Amino acid sequence: GISMARLWKGEVGACVLQPSTQTPWDTWPILGISKQLGFVFLEHDRSTNTLVPVQLTPRRTSFRTKHHLVVAHESRIHELNAALARA
C-alpha cells in the first residue's frame, strides 16, 4: 500500500510486485486506483526483451501470480523499455 501510494504521488518511477498470492480485497483496489491514475501493469516478455502491458481481470477468489509485475505510468513505458534494451 505505501509503496503504491509513493508511486501514485510521483515519489518513485515504478513499482515491482513480486510473485505472490493475490487476494481480492488487497489487489482490486490497487488495480482500480492505478488504472484511474493512468498506471499500467507490465510483465517482461523474454522473446522481445520488452515490458508489455498485462490485463488483470478482477476475481472473487485469491490467485497466485507467477511473474514479477512492474507498475508504471503509461507515459513511461517507452522510457522503461529503452532502459531495458541498454541493460
Side-chain angles (χ1 to χ4, degrees):
I2 292 173
S3 61
M4 293 302 292
R6 292 184 67 210
L7 175 66
W8 297 331
K9 288 173 44 181
E11 293 178 10
V12 295
C15 185
V16 178
L17 304 176
Q18 296 185 37
S20 65
T21 299
Q22 305 295 327
T23 58
W25 50 89
D26 287 332
T27 305
W28 305 134
I30 298 292
L31 177 68
I33 293 167
S34 295
K35 282 187 173 185
Q36 288 296 315
L37 295 174
F39 289 86
V40 291
F41 290 72
L42 308 160
E43 70 180 7
H44 183 241
D45 181 345
R46 292 177 192 260
S47 65
T48 61
N49 194 34
T50 59
L51 294 171
V52 295
V54 175
Q55 295 300 321
L56 297 177
T57 305
R59 302 177 188 181
R60 292 184 177 191
T61 58
S62 298
F63 67 99
R64 179 128 180 101
T65 53
K66 298 178 183 178
H67 307 286
H68 287 83
L69 293 174
V70 176
V71 186
H73 195 269
E74 60 190 354
S75 65
R76 300 192 79 150
I77 295 174
H78 180 73
E79 178 184 348
L80 289 169
N81 278 326
L84 186 59
R86 290 189 303 267

